[in-house]
Amino acid sequence: MAVASAAPGSIFRKQLLFCLLVLILSCDACRKISLQVPSHLQAETLVGKVNTKECFQSASLILSSDPDFRILEDGSIYTTHDLILSSARKSFYISLSDDQRQEQKEIEIVLDVRGKKVPKKRHTKDPVLKRSKRRWAPIPCSLMENSLGPFPQHVQQVQSDAAQNYTIFYSISGPGVDKEPFNLFYIDKDTGDIFCTRSIDREQYEQFPLYAYATTADGYAPEYPLPLLFKVEDDNDNAPYFENKVTIFSVPENCRTGTSVGQVTAIDHDEPDTLHTRLKYKILQQIPDHPKHFSIHPDTGVITTTTPLLDREKCDTYQLIMEVRDMGGQPFGLFNTGTITISLEDENDNSPYFTETSYFTEVEENRIDVEILRMAVHDQDLPNTPHSKAIYKILQGNENGNFKISTDPNTNEAVLCVVKALNYEVHREVVLQIGVLNEAQFAKAANSKAPTMCTTTVTVKIKDSDEGPECQPPVKVLQSTDGLPVGKELQGYKALDPETRSGEGLRYKKIGDEDNWFEINEHTGDLRTIKVLDRESKFVKHDQYNVSVVAMDAAGRSCTGTLVVLLEDNNDHPPQIDKEVTICQHAKDYAVLEPVDADGPENGPPFEFFLDNSANKLWNLETKDGKTAILRQRQILDYNYYTVPIIIKDRHGLDAKHMLTVRVCDCTTPSDCKMNIKNVRDFKPSNVILGRWAILAMVLGSALLLCILFTCFCVTAKRTVKKCFPDVAQQNLIVSNTEGPGEEVMEANIRLPTQTSNICDTSMSGGTLGGQGVKTQQSFEMVKGGYTLDSSKGGGHQTLESVKGAGQDTGRYTYTDWHSFTQPRLGEKVYLCGQDEEHKHSEDYVRSYNYEGKGSVAGSVGCCSDRQEEEGLEFLDHLEPKFRTLAKTCVKK
């Protein structure tokens, strides 16, 4: 470092006024620290350093409350980005916390911004101040890598001009001091001498950025933190080496001279762009070494070919022993070696050839799909690749397509087969010329000639054999008219014997006739209709009906032929439409009619549509395009079913009358229509025919129902209903056939029975009432002031008095009178409820009650519903103990 001369005390004080940073520590380290800073601070600028240990010794977390500043562990304060302080003062806090002890302290940092002073005009009489060079300034310094010492080795000295007025102590921080690597440097705090304690590896640490500090004994810092950069000078201590010890390249055989094979790269960890990392490449050896096929560029490491004579069939792999050396390839440079393997890629530079020049084979006539010969070839190119796989072709002799040649994928041999029968009577011998090529296109080498296809000849001898009948052609077309009646004859299929060229002695048999339309003459093969021919049959495809025929000779040999009956269309089917359509009023007020004609197009559309005179008042029919029609309402119709008679004609006038059922519905789509059938008018349901099982089920069901009714009648006839009405003041058991609340029964309204009625002539069974063993015979009568009903007929308020008559005794009413009064009115209420449009129950409608389960002594509340027969009060014999007191009061003593 440069050494600065001491300055007078006055000049030193003036320099302090323009300091960029002054650290002023207050008396209490944990309360407030003032720092004087310039108004513009650049990013990562050291603002100052705070001794956090004095405030909080065990602080484990140090944070800044202002994101513009960050705090290091040693208390150094840095800016996080470029900062311009607009105000004269800025403050923030440093938070110190200990997670284990749950303690936290804060240090207040106050930044005082010093502005520039206005320059003062210097008069001629003012003394001129001369500024001397300061010693507290950074000076570049370098260290030698792998230095041999002795250690500690002196590196640099720092000094402060403030040492003239204060006692200054020096310290340093940064990598190599209090960061990795620790204790590499230290400083004499009194003299400012910096020492290195051991040798340094540049490949691990290229430089060391340090900071030097000058402070007084009380912690005052008269100087900025001084940045020091110690750069490590490189030593050539690393030999270059190849990235891969074994590298494999490939290059096509027969390639041109100068073809790039690949590039080798080496790594040197010494300092880049120096002589220590300037590498040179060289080929030490080629295996095999003759002739030399490759060269390498000494600077780039690119390997190229030096000759076009690379032949994979002679040598498919080469190895190169490579050397890389630093120091520009000079002999004293460090070096390393590696092995490069170069594989030659195969090219189709060798044509395949047959192992024999000619072949001979034989085959029987009429044999098909039979292998007759195999031929082998030889190819020097790489096996099982397109360069060696053979493709065979029949060049001559196969004009009739009797033969097929293919390649066996396993052996690469040629396989010759017969795919079409040979005829000894036509050809007794066939000579074939066969050629062979590779799948891949031939690649002409630099030292080779243009390829020629290798060929060979195959002689095929045909052996004679006794043949069966021939069916030629295999398919014969026969035209017929649609609707041909039964009994008509058609010319059948004819086969020939190839030996005699005639059809004598052959027998014919039908083996395919889907709808059994024909019968065949066994001797002539002619057909005779046994059904009317129908072009619209489901067995006719594209106006064609197929009949398969087999012809056999006396030895049982046969052939098969197909007779195609081509049917000419006849206009015998009128247009047809669906029987029912739906018109949804919310979607559209019309229906689209799409007729279908089973005849061909020449007997089909365009169609004509007509409405019957009876339907013209409600409907309108419009022809759309000759294929469809629109049925539209003339007015908005009610939701119902309508029958519309429609006549449809085809192009030739063949017509049919259809009774179309139109369903006008309150819906948006036809599937949503839920029209009730009972509201239908003009709708005629189709006839329904019941099967025998349905009739049997109805008979058995009726018989079962009669048996159940008969059983119920027999059980009911044996029981006598006994009904009694007990007499107790203001406590009554009332048998009621209504569900509405009754009037309060007063003592004056009940007349006690004085004699036994004939109605109650049967004793109460199932036990005694109240457990006293007394059997009573009682009757009850309904008295004046009883229950009344509003009758819908007559419009007045009717009572039992008005029904019984004014001239009779109205003081008492029997159960029969009560039943006669209530029964017709309850029935009327039920009927009116059923006729209500919304099907809601009337308020005074008698409701049926469900059975409430077994085990109830009192039985079901269904006994309260309206019944025709009289009921007894046997249930009173089975009351529980808590009802016996009530029962005792109801029994006449």
Side-chain angles (χ1 to χ4, degrees):
M1 298 181 63
V3 179
S5 61
S10 60
I11 297 177
F12 177 71
R13 284 192 296 271
K14 288 183 178 180
Q15 290 177 346
L16 290 179
L17 295 177
F18 296 95
C19 262
L20 295 178
L21 176 64
V22 177
L23 177 61
I24 302 175
L25 298 176
S26 62
C27 298
D28 191 348
C30 284
R31 287 197 176 182
K32 186 176 181 180
I33 295 178
S34 297
L35 301 175
Q36 293 183 358
V37 296
S39 61
H40 181 220
L41 296 174
Q42 294 184 351
E44 300 299 325
T45 299
L46 179 63
V47 178
K49 186 175 182 181
V50 179
N51 191 351
T52 59
K53 300 297 181 182
E54 293 180 2
C55 177
F56 198 6
Q57 183 68 28
S58 60
S60 60
L61 182 61
I62 303 175
L63 298 175
S64 172
S65 63
D66 194 334
D68 295 336
F69 303 91
R70 62 185 180 92
I71 314 299
L72 301 184
E73 295 180 357
D74 60 349
S76 300
I77 304 174
Y78 286 86
T79 57
T80 58
H81 56 85
D82 290 345
L83 188 62
I84 298 177
L85 301 178
S86 59
S87 60
R89 173 169 292 189
K90 180 179 179 65
S91 63
F92 62 93
Y93 291 89
I94 298 177
S95 177
L96 308 175
S97 59
D98 186 357
D99 295 339
Q100 295 182 354
R101 299 171 57 183
Q102 300 295 323
E103 293 182 9
Q104 183 174 354
K105 294 183 180 181
E106 290 184 347
I107 301 176
E108 184 180 2
I109 306 297
V110 178
L111 302 180
D112 293 329
V113 181
R114 288 187 175 272
K116 294 182 180 180
K117 290 187 176 181
V118 178
K120 181 180 178 181
K121 292 185 179 180
R122 184 173 60 85
H123 299 282
T124 56
K125 295 182 179 180
D126 294 339
V128 178
L129 298 178
K130 294 183 180 180
R131 182 176 179 180
S132 61
K133 186 177 181 180
R134 296 191 61 208
R135 293 184 296 174
W136 188 256
I139 298 178
C141 180
S142 63
L143 302 173
M144 191 61 192
E145 179 186 15
N146 301 322
S147 176
L148 299 179
F151 298 102
Q153 183 179 16
H154 184 268
V155 178
Q156 186 58 271
Q157 182 185 20
V158 293
Q159 285 186 341
S160 173
D161 296 335
Q164 298 177 4
N165 300 321
Y166 303 96
T167 301
I168 299 299
F169 297 98
Y170 300 97
S171 62
I172 57 175
S173 67
V177 181
D178 53 357
K179 296 181 181 179
E180 288 286 347
F182 294 104
N183 303 322
L184 181 61
F185 302 99
Y186 72 91
I187 189 171
D188 189 321
K189 69 176 182 177
D190 297 323
T191 64
D193 291 319
I194 302 174
F195 297 90
C196 179
T197 60
R198 57 185 182 271
S199 63
I200 305 172
D201 185 5
R202 192 208 65 84
E203 286 71 41
Q204 188 174 6
Y205 303 102
E206 295 184 1
Q207 60 186 10
F208 295 92
L210 305 179
Y211 280 95
Y213 307 95
T215 59
T216 60
D218 58 354
Y220 174 71
E223 300 283 1
Y224 293 126
L226 180 64
L228 301 175
L229 182 62
F230 294 165
K231 184 178 179 182
V232 182
E233 296 293 339
D234 184 43
D235 181 26
N236 189 22
D237 57 345
N238 292 277
Y241 62 92
F242 292 101
E243 286 189 88
N244 300 313
K245 274 295 182 183
V246 178
T247 305
I248 299 177
F249 295 120
S250 60
V251 64
E253 63 173 333
N254 303 317
C255 61
R256 296 180 179 181
T257 302
T259 301
S260 177
V261 178
Q263 182 180 14
V264 294
T265 56
I267 298 175
D268 195 327
H269 292 296
D270 290 325
E271 187 175 0
D273 301 326
T274 63
L275 193 60
H276 298 164
T277 54
R278 187 178 301 171
L279 307 180
K280 294 290 183 178
Y281 300 93
K282 183 171 62 174
I283 298 176
L284 299 179
Q285 184 182 3
Q286 173 186 302
I287 305 173
D289 59 350
H290 186 77
K292 300 296 183 180
H293 293 295
F294 306 98
S295 65
I296 188 169
H297 193 283
D299 296 325
T300 62
V302 176
I303 302 173
T304 56
T305 59
T306 60
T307 175
L309 302 178
L310 290 173
D311 190 355
R312 190 203 65 85
E313 285 72 35
K314 294 181 179 179
C315 180
D316 60 352
T317 303
Y318 292 89
Q319 284 187 342
L320 303 180
I321 306 300
M322 308 291 298
E323 178 192 87
V324 57
R325 188 183 294 265
D326 61 12
M327 301 299 293
Q330 299 187 35
F332 55 83
L334 303 179
F335 69 94
N336 236 319
T337 60
T339 302
I340 306 298
T341 301
I342 301 177
S343 298
L344 299 185
E345 298 176 354
D346 184 42
E347 292 289 325
N348 188 23
D349 56 344
N350 295 277
S351 299
Y353 56 90
F354 289 99
T355 57
E356 299 181 17
T357 57
S358 62
Y359 298 86
F360 177 82
T361 185
E362 59 183 10
V363 63
E364 293 183 358
E365 66 172 335
N366 301 321
R367 295 285 303 276
I368 59 173
D369 295 331
V370 58
E371 178 184 322
I372 60 174
L373 182 64
R374 280 180 174 260
M375 295 169 285
V377 294
H378 183 70
D379 197 323
Q380 295 180 357
D381 291 322
L382 190 64
N384 299 321
T385 64
H387 301 155
S388 62
K389 290 183 178 179
I391 297 178
Y392 302 93
K393 295 182 179 179
I394 301 177
L395 303 178
Q396 293 180 2
N398 193 32
E399 288 76 12
N400 296 328
N402 299 100
F403 301 94
K404 183 186 74 171
I405 193 167
S406 60
T407 304
D408 189 327
N410 298 322
T411 63
N412 207 30
E413 292 178 329
V415 180
L416 183 63
C417 300
V418 177
V419 295
K420 184 178 179 181
L422 296 168
N423 194 341
Y424 175 81
E425 288 73 21
V426 178
H427 298 288
R428 299 190 178 186
E429 184 179 89
V430 177
V431 178
L432 304 176
Q433 184 181 15
I434 298 176
V436 60
L437 289 174
N438 292 126
E439 291 184 1
Q441 187 176 0
F442 187 83
K444 182 180 178 181
N447 57 346
S448 64
K449 299 179 180 180
T452 57
M453 178 184 292
C454 181
T455 61
T456 186
T457 58
V458 178
T459 303
V460 181
K461 183 180 179 181
I462 303 172
K463 298 192 297 184
D464 187 22
S465 62
D466 191 6
E467 303 172 80
E470 291 182 353
C471 294
Q472 292 296 334
V475 178
K476 182 179 179 181
V477 179
L478 178 65
Q479 290 190 352
S480 177
T481 58
D482 183 18
L484 188 67
V486 178
K488 296 295 182 178
E489 290 190 359
L490 299 176
Q491 185 178 5
Y493 193 90
K494 304 297 182 182
L496 296 176
D497 189 340
E499 304 294 338
T500 62
R501 308 307 297 175
S502 66
E504 296 182 1
L506 299 181
R507 298 291 184 267
Y508 297 91
K509 183 180 180 181
K510 184 180 66 172
I511 59 174
D513 185 3
E514 289 184 289
D515 202 21
N516 197 24
W517 282 6
F518 303 98
E519 62 180 5
I520 191 170
N521 189 315
E522 183 181 4
H523 301 285
T524 63
D526 293 334
L527 301 179
R528 185 173 180 272
T529 59
I530 57 177
K531 286 185 178 180
V532 177
L533 304 188
D534 185 7
R535 193 194 68 87
E536 287 74 28
S537 172
K538 64 179 180 179
F539 301 101
V540 177
K541 307 297 182 184
H542 306 292
D543 299 340
Q544 297 178 358
Y545 184 80
N546 297 335
V547 179
S548 298
V549 178
V550 60
M552 296 180 294
D553 59 9
R557 291 166 297 191
S558 63
C559 68
T560 303
T562 301
L563 188 63
V564 177
V565 181
L566 184 60
L567 298 174
E568 298 178 358
D569 185 31
N570 186 20
N571 191 16
D572 55 351
H573 292 82
Q576 301 292 327
I577 59 173
D578 295 335
K579 299 299 182 183
E580 179 179 323
V581 294
T582 301
I583 297 178
C584 291
Q585 294 283 32
H586 293 292
K588 54 186 179 180
D589 61 346
Y590 63 89
V592 179
L593 307 182
E594 299 179 353
V596 176
D597 197 327
D599 294 323
E602 62 278 3
N603 294 319
F607 301 116
E608 296 182 28
F609 302 85
F610 303 95
L611 275 177
D612 191 83
N613 294 331
S614 60
N616 287 328
K617 296 181 180 180
L618 300 179
W619 305 96
N620 182 28
L621 190 61
E622 305 171 3
T623 302
K624 190 174 181 182
D625 53 3
K627 296 182 180 180
T628 59
I630 296 178
L631 180 64
R632 194 184 303 274
Q633 309 173 62
R634 291 186 179 272
Q635 58 188 2
I636 299 177
L637 301 177
D638 295 336
Y639 300 141
N640 215 328
Y641 282 85
Y642 299 88
T643 301
V644 181
I646 296 177
I647 301 174
I648 305 176
K649 294 182 180 180
D650 60 14
R651 65 166 60 189
H652 296 297
L654 183 63
D655 61 355
K657 185 175 182 180
H658 305 277
M659 302 303 293
L660 179 65
T661 300
V662 181
R663 181 173 59 167
V664 180
C665 189
D666 181 14
C667 59
T668 55
T669 59
S671 59
D672 296 336
C673 184
K674 306 295 183 183
M675 184 176 291
N676 193 350
I677 194 66
K678 72 179 183 178
N679 294 327
V680 174
R681 71 180 184 184
D682 299 333
F683 176 74
K684 297 180 181 180
S686 58
N687 295 331
V688 178
I689 301 177
L690 297 178
R692 56 183 180 180
W693 293 109
I695 297 174
L696 180 60
M698 295 173 61
V699 172
L700 293 178
S702 301
L704 180 61
L705 180 62
L706 291 175
C707 293
I708 294 174
L709 294 177
F710 180 74
T711 303
C712 294
F713 175 76
C714 293
V715 174
T716 306
K718 293 182 179 181
R719 299 179 57 190
T720 302
V721 180
K722 180 179 180 181
K723 301 184 181 293
C724 298
F725 196 88
D727 180 10
V728 178
Q730 298 189 12
Q731 295 184 8
N732 307 283
L733 295 177
I734 302 174
V735 177
S736 176
N737 290 76
T738 64
E739 302 300 324
E743 297 180 357
E744 184 179 1
V745 181
M746 304 299 295
E747 183 178 2
N749 295 335
I750 302 177
R751 180 182 297 274
L752 299 178
T754 57
Q755 61 183 4
T756 303
S757 175
N758 293 331
I759 298 176
C760 303
D761 56 355
T762 304
S763 300
M764 300 174 65
S765 60
T768 61
L769 190 63
Q772 300 178 358
V774 178
K775 296 183 178 180
T776 61
Q777 295 180 348
Q778 298 180 356
S779 64
F780 66 89
E781 298 173 351
M782 303 305 297
V783 298
K784 183 178 180 180
Y787 191 84
T788 64
L789 290 174
D790 290 333
S791 175
S792 61
K793 298 179 180 181
H797 183 71
Q798 297 184 1
T799 65
L800 287 175
E801 295 178 1
S802 61
V803 175
K804 188 174 181 180
Q808 299 182 10
D809 184 10
T810 60
R812 53 172 35 177
Y813 301 100
T814 63
Y815 179 80
T816 304
D817 296 333
W818 172 261
H819 186 273
S820 300
F821 175 76
T822 59
Q823 182 63 25
R825 288 155 180 79
L826 290 176
E828 180 181 0
K829 288 291 184 179
V830 174
Y831 174 78
L832 292 177
C833 179
Q835 295 300 316
D836 185 43
E837 291 182 357
E838 297 181 357
H839 301 284
K840 295 182 179 179
H841 294 291
S842 180
E843 294 297 331
D844 57 354
Y845 174 47
V846 178
R847 297 169 174 81
S848 299
Y849 289 83
N850 293 329
Y851 181 62
E852 297 175 349
K854 297 181 179 180
S856 176
V857 178
S860 173
V861 296
C863 64
C864 299
S865 58
D866 186 38
R867 299 182 59 180
Q868 296 293 336
E869 70 275 13
E870 297 180 350
E871 294 180 339
L873 300 177
E874 291 86 358
F875 67 94
L876 294 176
D877 295 336
H878 306 285
L879 296 177
E880 295 292 334
K882 60 184 178 180
F883 292 104
R884 290 177 182 173
T885 304
L886 178 61
K888 290 179 181 179
T889 61
C890 296
V891 178
K892 182 178 180 181
K893 301 298 182 178

